[in-house]
């Protein structure tokens, strides 16, 4: 476990993943505890926001990301930011899960719908936030450091590249270079290009950044055998 020089700005907690989701089960178990009117423990309702994938729905990684949450035992609630009434869906879940995909497409959708403000307010009030890859980057103060890894052209309607501002650190996912689209050379270019202006955290695919009342730290997050 590695401490990170980040000032938490939330009650959260934040569970920021690169790829492996072992830390998710440890820090946000799918069973929320016994309900008042039931004898069985209640499954945690997690709002699944896939705005980062809307232009990639045929990509092979999009379906399995959601299916993994179901397999883990969460009660997955799909939240479509392009439809009216998404605020009600956000209001009825126990936690937010913001998927991987393109960071700029994600921020464009969050800003356009106003969900960025709703999510940030809820997280600061104590709702857990889980972000994977693009969803992890978006939790930080600015998403510009993702410009070499994703497509800024998908965020042309953004007046700036502000993130959700839930942490002072910008996560750089897939930093071990194991995924072909993100070789170590690209990670190094990103760190060199943006490291002087932002607090960057290279995150391996078997790691997660946890931000909670105990502070900010990198923990193991290998894919569990579930």
């Amino acid at each position: 476990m590695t401490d990170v020089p980040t000032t938490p700005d939330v009650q959260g907690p934040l569970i920021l993943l690169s790829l492996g989701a072992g830390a998710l089960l440890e820090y946000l178990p799918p069973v929320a505890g016994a309900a008042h009117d039931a004898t069985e423990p209640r499954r945690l309702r997690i709002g699944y926001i896939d705005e980062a994938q809307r232009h990639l729905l045929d990509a092979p990684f999009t379906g399995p990301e959601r299916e993994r949450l179901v397999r883990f035992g969460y009660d997955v609630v799909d939240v479509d930011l392009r439809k009216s009434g998404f605020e009600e869906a956000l209001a009825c879940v126990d936690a937010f899960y913001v998927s991987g995909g393109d960071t700029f497409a994600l921020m464009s959708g969050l800003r356009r719908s106003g969900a960025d403000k709703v999510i940030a307010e809820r997280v600061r009030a104590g709702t857990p936030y889980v972000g994977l890859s693009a969803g992890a980057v978006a939790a930080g103060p600015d998403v510009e450091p993702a410009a070499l890894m994703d497509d800024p052209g998908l965020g042309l309607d953004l007046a700036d590249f502000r993130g959700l501002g839930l942490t002072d650190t910008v996560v750089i996912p897939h930093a071990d270079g194991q995924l072909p689209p993100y070789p170590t050379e690209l990670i190094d270019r990103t760190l060199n290009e943006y490291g002087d202006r932002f607090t960057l955290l290279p995150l391996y695919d078997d790691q997660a950044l946890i931000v909670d009342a105990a502070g900010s730290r990198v923990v193991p997050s290998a894919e569990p055998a579930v």
Side-chain angles (χ1 to χ4, degrees), residues 73-92:
Y74 296 100
D75 181 4
V76 179
V77 177
D78 294 312
V79 180
D80 188 344
L81 302 183
R82 304 188 182 199
K83 294 182 178 179
S84 61
F86 74 85
E87 297 92 345
E88 287 77 6
L90 291 177
C92 76

Side-chain angles (χ1 to χ4, degrees), residues 97-114:
Y97 183 103
V98 183
S99 77
D102 188 277
T103 306
F104 299 95
L106 170 60
M107 285 311 307
S108 177
L110 290 173
R111 284 272 191 93
R112 186 172 54 248
S113 64

Side-chain angles (χ1 to χ4, degrees), residues 23-180:
L24 174 59
L25 290 175
E26 179 177 354
Y27 289 90
L28 192 68
V31 176
H36 293 297
D37 56 351
T39 57
E40 296 295 325
R42 182 175 66 84
R43 288 193 300 157
L44 187 137
R45 302 191 74 192
I46 194 164
Y48 184 75
I49 301 169
D50 65 352
E51 192 66 22
Q53 302 177 357
R54 285 288 163 176
H55 64 299
L56 298 168
L57 290 182
D58 292 331
F61 65 84
T62 56
E65 188 173 353
R66 183 190 185 282
E67 292 165 5
R68 178 169 66 176
L69 296 176
V70 175
R71 187 173 73 251
F72 286 172
Y74 296 100
D75 181 4
V76 179
V77 177
D78 294 312
V79 180
D80 188 344
L81 302 183
R82 304 188 182 199
K83 294 182 178 179
S84 61
F86 74 85
E87 297 92 345
E88 287 77 6
L90 291 177
C92 76
V93 298
D94 303 307
F96 303 127
Y97 183 103
V98 183
S99 77
D102 188 277
T103 306
F104 299 95
L106 170 60
M107 285 311 307
S108 177
L110 290 173
R111 284 272 191 93
R112 186 172 54 248
S113 64
D116 57 334
K117 296 178 181 177
V118 176
I119 291 172
E121 181 178 344
R122 284 281 309 279
V123 174
R124 290 191 175 99
T127 300
Y129 176 100
V130 183
L132 183 140
S133 191
V137 179
D142 202 293
V143 299
E144 184 183 351
L148 298 179
M149 303 176 71
D150 289 336
D151 183 4
L154 295 175
L156 291 178
D157 58 337
L158 294 170
D160 55 58
F161 289 146
R162 284 179 297 110
L164 294 174
L166 303 175
T167 173
D168 294 335
T169 296
V170 181
V171 166
I172 303 300
H174 318 304
D176 45 358
Q178 296 301 303
L179 295 183

